[in-house]
């Protein structure tokens, strides 16, 4: 299936299909330094094919992140971002509900209490038959800390289609769908899974321009028919931004439904939170009574990456960029 870009260049779904297959079969896990380095070589070559001059930016030994940047972040008005690293397998599935903050908080609190209760039960089961009450506290602490360590640094999750191969694929498709513009920068963040170290280092290094630039962050955009566009509390009042988003992204296209959220309380825990002016982009399922949510994160069931979502977002960004940038000029 071939479409026409807003830039007048031919655009094909074959590009998305090819990149998706390569990501999910050759680079499904990007966690160790070696895995990331091999992936970045391929990423740089794909950006070059799309007409973007890209480079690696090391954030130092203490931070340990290596971001990939296409364009000039010190001159760009818009940065399109996604993290490329993948995380560990969690003992309990990660749960994100951007529009139901109480449910998000309660789930993670309950998950933490469940792990603590399990550690207490195991320590009790070991120490009570041995009649060694003095060992119970140190054993409990060891088990609880081990559970926390496992969630953060345990074995790599092998399935990362939605988190965040989908975001990487979106940026690559957008690079192919939109013509190079010096006012636009593409950034692939490292170490989102380590407290967003890559995004933090990027902001610190380019703070003079990034204090005013608009940041789009694509994270988990592959599993769900509802594509949420969530401006930060400082960006939701930007009429040029919201009008351009409404014009560039049809409210419904095929099975994809766009949701622009500019009212109420939303919380999306990803790299855009390191920047003042930002838009978080994610795909969600919907459940009555719960609202929008993202399933299967950090589990072996994270296998869904809808090509329709990627095509919708990349074409939408190709339409959005000239609309928004011309208004800012």
């Amino acid at each position: 299936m071939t479409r026409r870009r807003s830039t007048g260049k031919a655009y094909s779904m074959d590009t998305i299909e090819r990149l998706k297959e390569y990501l999910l079969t050759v680079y499904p896990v990007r966690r160790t330094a070696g895995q990331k380095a091999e992936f970045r070589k391929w990423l740089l070559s794909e950006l070059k094919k799309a007409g973007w001059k890209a480079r690696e930016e090391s954030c130092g030994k203490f931070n340990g992140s290596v971001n990939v940047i296409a364009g000039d972040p010190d001159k760009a008005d818009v940065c399109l971002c996604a993290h490329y690293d993948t995380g560990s397998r969690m003992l309990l599935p990660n749960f994100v509900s951007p529009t139901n903050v109480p449910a998000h908080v309660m789930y993670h609190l309950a998950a933490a209490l469940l792990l603590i209760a399990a550690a207490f039960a195991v320590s009790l089961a070991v120490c009570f038959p041995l009649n060694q009450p003095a060992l119970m506290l140190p054993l409990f602490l060891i088990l609880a800390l081990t559970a926390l360590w496992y969630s953060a640094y345990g074995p790599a999750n092998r399935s990362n289609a939605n988190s965040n191969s989908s975001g990487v694929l979106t940026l690559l498709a957008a690079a192919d769908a939109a013509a190079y513009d010096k006012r636009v920068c593409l950034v692939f963040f490292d170490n989102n899974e380590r407290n967003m170290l890559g995004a933090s280092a990027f902001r610190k290094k380019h703070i003079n321009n990034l204090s005013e630039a608009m940041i789009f962050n694509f994270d988990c955009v592959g599993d769900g028919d509802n594509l949420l566009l969530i401006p930060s509390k400082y960006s939701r009042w930007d009429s040029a931004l919201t009008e351009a988003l409404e014009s560039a992204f049809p409210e419904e296209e095929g099975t994809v439904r766009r949701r622009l959220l500019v009212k109420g309380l939303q919380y999306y825990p990803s790299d855009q939170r390191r920047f003042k002016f930002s838009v978080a982009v994610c795909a969600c399922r919907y459940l009555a009574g719960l609202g929008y949510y993202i399933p299967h994160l950090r589990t072996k069931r994270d296998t869904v990456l809808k090509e329709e979502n990627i095509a919708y977002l990349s074409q939408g960004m190709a339409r959005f960029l000239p609309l928004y940038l011309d208004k800012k000029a």
Side-chain angles (χ1 to χ4, degrees):
M1 179 174 67
T2 301
R3 303 182 182 180
R4 298 296 297 176
R5 298 186 198 181
S6 60
T7 57
K9 298 165 66 178
Y11 169 71
S12 174
M13 282 290 286
D14 291 341
T15 301
I16 291 177
E17 293 168 4
R18 174 182 65 84
L19 293 171
K20 173 186 173 181
E21 181 178 4
Y22 210 82
L23 270 171
L24 299 186
T25 57
V26 181
Y27 300 111
V29 178
R30 305 173 293 275
R31 191 152 180 256
T32 68
Q35 290 167 341
K36 292 178 183 180
E38 287 298 315
F39 169 75
R40 289 195 299 269
K41 290 180 183 178
W42 174 78
L43 180 60
L44 290 168
S45 69
E46 290 297 328
L47 289 168
K48 184 178 180 180
K49 291 177 186 177
W52 292 76
K53 185 177 181 181
R55 60 184 174 85
E56 294 182 357
E57 183 176 85
S58 177
C59 303
K61 291 183 178 181
F62 180 77
N63 183 285
S65 302
V66 181
N67 298 327
V68 174
I69 300 173
D72 189 346
D74 294 319
K75 296 180 180 179
D77 293 316
V78 175
C79 291
L80 309 183
C81 308
H83 76 87
Y84 69 85
D85 62 309
T86 58
S88 62
R89 176 79 60 83
M90 296 185 72
L91 293 173
L92 296 172
N94 194 10
F95 172 78
V96 176
S97 180
T99 58
N100 193 333
V101 179
H104 178 91
V105 173
M106 290 300 294
Y107 175 86
H108 287 274
L109 179 61
L113 291 175
L114 182 60
L115 290 177
I116 291 173
F120 178 81
V122 172
S123 61
L124 181 64
V126 171
C127 296
F128 184 78
L130 297 176
N131 194 26
Q132 295 290 332
L135 293 178
M136 187 167 175
L137 179 58
L139 181 58
F140 165 74
L141 292 175
I142 290 172
L143 291 172
L145 292 174
T146 299
L148 293 174
W149 178 91
Y150 185 94
S151 296
Y153 303 105
N157 192 37
R158 308 300 301 180
S159 301
N160 303 287
N162 191 30
S163 177
N164 189 30
S165 296
S166 64
V168 171
L169 182 56
T170 299
L171 255 62
L172 285 171
D176 186 68
Y180 169 76
D181 190 319
K182 64 181 181 181
R183 298 172 295 177
V184 180
C185 181
L186 309 178
V187 187
F188 297 80
F189 290 130
D190 192 5
N191 283 332
N192 166 273
E193 303 292 350
R194 293 180 57 202
N195 199 31
M196 297 178 275
L197 288 177
S200 297
F202 178 73
R203 180 191 64 182
K204 183 177 180 180
K205 189 163 187 175
H206 305 283
I207 186 64
N208 290 337
N209 185 57
L210 293 179
S211 60
E212 299 296 332
M214 183 63 64
I215 307 297
F216 277 79
N217 184 52
F218 301 89
D219 193 355
C220 300
V221 295
D223 188 357
D225 296 330
N226 301 281
L227 283 165
L228 274 54
L229 309 177
I230 312 174
S232 67
K233 64 179 181 180
Y234 300 102
S235 301
R236 60 174 57 183
W237 311 112
D238 185 346
S239 59
L241 171 70
T242 55
E243 290 171 7
L245 288 173
E246 289 177 339
S247 298
F249 292 91
E251 192 165 357
E252 189 163 347
E253 185 173 275
T255 61
V256 180
R257 295 180 292 274
R258 180 262 295 164
R259 300 289 185 258
L260 177 59
L261 305 180
V262 294
K263 295 181 180 179
L265 177 64
Q266 294 92 34
Y267 174 74
Y268 193 63
S270 190
D271 293 298
Q272 84 286 339
R273 294 186 60 80
R274 293 290 184 261
F275 305 93
K276 183 176 182 180
F277 300 106
S278 65
V279 178
V281 185
C282 62
C284 292
R285 300 183 188 185
Y286 183 83
L287 182 65
L290 174 64
Y292 297 108
Y293 71 100
I294 303 174
H296 309 318
L297 297 180
R298 306 277 288 274
T299 73
K300 64 181 180 180
R301 298 179 65 189
D302 183 3
T303 58
V304 178
L305 204 176
K306 294 186 176 182
E307 296 170 11
E308 302 93 327
N309 290 14
I310 309 305
Y312 175 86
L313 288 172
S314 60
Q315 288 296 287
M317 290 310 301
R319 292 187 291 261
F320 167 82
L321 290 171
L323 288 173
Y324 180 68
L325 292 170
D326 290 346
K327 286 183 180 182
K328 287 180 65 71

